Amino acid sequence: MAKQIVFNKQEQSFTYQKVLDQKNNSGAPEIEFKFIVERKKSAQNGRERLVITALDRDGKETGKISAAMPKLVDNLLSLREYGVIASRIVFTDLAKCIENNYYDLKCESFDDEGTISDEVLNAILAMVTDCIAEGMAFPTTIKGEMCYNIPVKEFQDLIRDSEYADIDLTELKRRLKQKGYAKCSTGRYDCTVKEPEKDKAIKVMSFRKSALPELPELPISETDG
């Protein structure tokens, strides 16, 4: 029994399916998962991203992610969190199939400013505040300023697991920096700090305490940022 990924231009979908051999062929191939792929282009900067929705064999949506071509395989692997259990080989084959049929995907323009509005930023900041209150961030002072730090991967997972999963993460981080919510290293949209009690530097989304609602006091450490 072989497996393959098939592109349907009319549906704008990629189907991961089992192909039965002739001896046991009982009809149509057995579908494992279907992926609806939407191609989006920013009206502001021309950058493109993909919104990928995974459906199970019954056609029920199981998860949705935002993906970028340079990191498509890694983005697709995050679908495992939604129960799309397949090997890296399958996701690599899916990424290759998407790349081979990329210009057959319909391209729609979207407005970054409209998509990531102040209202959306405030909702995301409320999520961040909840994470801090629940102990999912560690506080430090960066160049004398009190900040709460969430590792970049955990922050990305937070967004992907929310109703804002289709937001361009790079653009979101840019807006957080632009609005003064996030303190960032020079020329970046994140910050590098040392974890408390560990001699290891990690990349974090560092949120200024002064830009967030009142939070409980937590032990802090200092870093040069």
Side-chain angles (χ1 to χ4, degrees):
M1 182 180 294
K3 296 181 180 179
Q4 65 179 6
I5 295 172
V6 177
F7 173 58
N8 184 313
K9 183 176 180 179
Q10 182 176 357
E11 291 186 352
Q12 299 282 281
S13 68
F14 296 80
T15 302
Y16 171 47
Q17 60 189 30
K18 294 180 180 179
V19 182
L20 306 179
D21 58 40
Q22 292 183 350
K23 293 181 180 179
N24 299 319
N25 195 345
S26 59
E30 181 180 344
I31 294 175
E32 291 283 291
F33 293 102
K34 180 179 287 189
F35 305 90
I36 306 298
V37 180
E38 302 170 74
R39 181 180 161 201
K40 308 283 189 178
K41 180 182 284 288
S42 168
Q44 275 67 42
N45 56 35
R47 292 180 59 187
E48 294 192 7
R49 63 182 175 84
L50 301 173
V51 176
I52 301 173
T53 304
L55 310 176
D56 63 18
R57 64 183 60 185
D58 297 321
K60 182 180 178 181
E61 180 177 328
T62 61
K64 178 183 288 188
I65 62 168
S66 177
M69 287 302 294
K71 297 183 179 180
L72 184 54
V73 174
D74 289 337
N75 292 156
L76 288 170
L77 282 166
S78 68
L79 283 168
R80 288 176 173 174
E81 300 173 18
Y82 300 96
V84 183
I85 306 303
S87 68
R88 174 176 281 272
I89 292 175
V90 170
F91 287 121
T92 300
D93 288 346
L94 174 57
K96 186 179 297 183
C97 193
I98 290 173
E99 182 176 353
N100 290 341
N101 295 280
Y102 192 80
Y103 293 109
D104 284 325
L105 295 172
K106 297 175 183 177
C107 187
E108 297 181 359
S109 176
F110 75 98
D111 188 339
D112 286 340
E113 299 295 324
T115 302
I116 311 179
S117 63
D118 287 345
E119 182 179 359
V120 170
L121 282 179
N122 288 336
I124 289 173
L125 286 170
M127 291 165 49
V128 168
T129 301
D130 288 343
C131 288
I132 295 171
E134 293 169 8
M136 297 173 62
F138 61 91
T140 60
T141 56
I142 302 176
K143 296 181 179 179
E145 184 172 8
M146 177 65 178
C147 299
Y148 292 95
N149 307 289
I150 302 177
V152 169
K153 184 182 182 304
E154 293 181 17
F155 176 74
Q156 292 174 340
D157 290 344
L158 173 69
I159 303 303
R160 290 191 180 116
D161 288 341
S162 74
E163 63 183 291
Y164 308 109
D166 61 342
I167 281 180
D168 183 297
L169 287 169
T170 300
E171 181 60 20
L172 171 59
K173 290 188 283 187
R174 185 188 73 80
R175 294 292 303 283
L176 288 168
K177 177 181 180 179
Q178 178 189 54
K179 291 286 187 178
Y181 297 119
K183 192 174 184 70
C184 304
S185 300
T186 303
R188 297 192 59 85
Y189 295 139
D190 54 32
C191 193
T192 301
V193 301
K194 284 189 177 181
E195 290 184 272
E197 302 179 0
K198 294 183 181 179
D199 188 24
K200 180 182 178 182
I202 62 169
K203 293 187 182 300
V204 299
M205 288 300 298
S206 189
F207 293 90
R208 290 182 162 96
K209 180 181 180 181
S210 60
L212 298 172
E214 186 175 348
L215 291 164
E217 294 296 329
L218 299 172
I220 64 173
S221 60
E222 294 187 0
T223 181
D224 292 333

